[in-house]
Amino acid sequence: MTTAALQTVLTVPERFQGPKGIANGGWVAGTVAEALGGRGAAVEVTLHAPTPLDTELRLEHMANCASLHHGDKLLAEAIPVHEDLKAPEFVRFADAARAEAGFPGWRGHAFPDCFVCGLRAPGDGLRIFPGPVEGTDLVAAGWRVPFAVAGEDGVPDAIVGAALDCVTGWAHFGPGESALLGRLAVQIHGKVYPDGTYSVVGRATGSEGRKLFGESAIYDQDGTLVAAARATWITPR
């Protein structure tokens, strides 16, 4: 007996772009991961192709897999991960905010209109600008969550996934450097609240050929781990 997939039609608004003309990978990963339902468990999302903006897409959920499609083209696929994701250490909000002064994107940004780390107007983008934390191997930024990203039930998983995304890249990138997100495993432990202040922390964990690896976390002001992620980036040829 074959179980039919549950299908939802969605579009990614232009606001949520990452690289010019395509959706932010973390936003896509958070959206597809959320389709598996429930918080607390880790979900790994593989991005097979760039997700177009303002285009009708199909989100399917069958058994323990969720996938995003544009016509017959597979864009992203999510599966459960039976482990707790490792998170980089807590950085106090004041120290995370101070680290933003060293954000490499100030001196050169490949994707200046990125919803997450781009130089967007306050309230439009997330304005997460990770810079090195003195005396550590971490990068961090202070995230001041705009009301404009909240829905009826608070800040959605798509936004949390987005916030966890770019910081893992900036743990590797210098000014003007870039790569594309290939895989993001996300584990959300608690809620993110609009107008809240959080530390977004990242660490580079290695590289292999064109692949760059990193981990990230969101902490609230008292050091409680709100969410964690593990990322794989692919550098251009």
Side-chain angles (χ1 to χ4, degrees), residues 73-93:
K73 188 174 187 178
L74 175 64
L75 302 176
E77 189 171 23
I79 58 172
V81 177
H82 301 292
E83 62 177 286
D84 287 328
L85 299 182
K86 184 180 178 182
E89 292 87 350
F90 171 58
V91 175
R92 294 184 310 156
F93 178 80

Side-chain angles (χ1 to χ4, degrees), residues 125-159:
L126 298 186
R127 295 177 61 83
I128 296 174
F129 304 134
V133 179
E134 187 176 356
T136 75
D137 62 349
L138 305 174
V139 296
W143 183 24
R144 306 151 188 85
V145 184
F147 279 106
V149 300
E152 293 181 0
D153 299 320
V155 176
D157 290 1
I159 300 298

Side-chain angles (χ1 to χ4, degrees), residues 1 15 23 51 62 64 72 95 97 113 124 126 133 179 199 205:
M1 181 177 178
R15 178 188 182 194
T51 297
M62 184 167 60
N64 64 344
D72 295 332
D95 293 330
D113 294 323
D124 180 28
L126 298 186
V133 179
S199 297
T205 57

Side-chain angles (χ1 to χ4, degrees), residues 123-208:
D124 180 28
L126 298 186
R127 295 177 61 83
I128 296 174
F129 304 134
V133 179
E134 187 176 356
T136 75
D137 62 349
L138 305 174
V139 296
W143 183 24
R144 306 151 188 85
V145 184
F147 279 106
V149 300
E152 293 181 0
D153 299 320
V155 176
D157 290 1
I159 300 298
V160 177
L164 289 164
D165 167 15
C166 296
V167 63
T168 59
W170 287 109
H172 291 273
F173 303 155
E177 294 180 341
S178 68
L180 292 178
L181 185 68
R183 180 171 291 143
L184 190 71
V186 178
Q187 186 172 20
I188 301 176
H189 299 283
K191 288 187 176 183
V192 171
Y193 295 95
D195 203 36
T197 50
Y198 298 84
S199 297
V200 179
V201 187
R203 170 188 282 129
T205 57
S207 63
E208 180 181 321

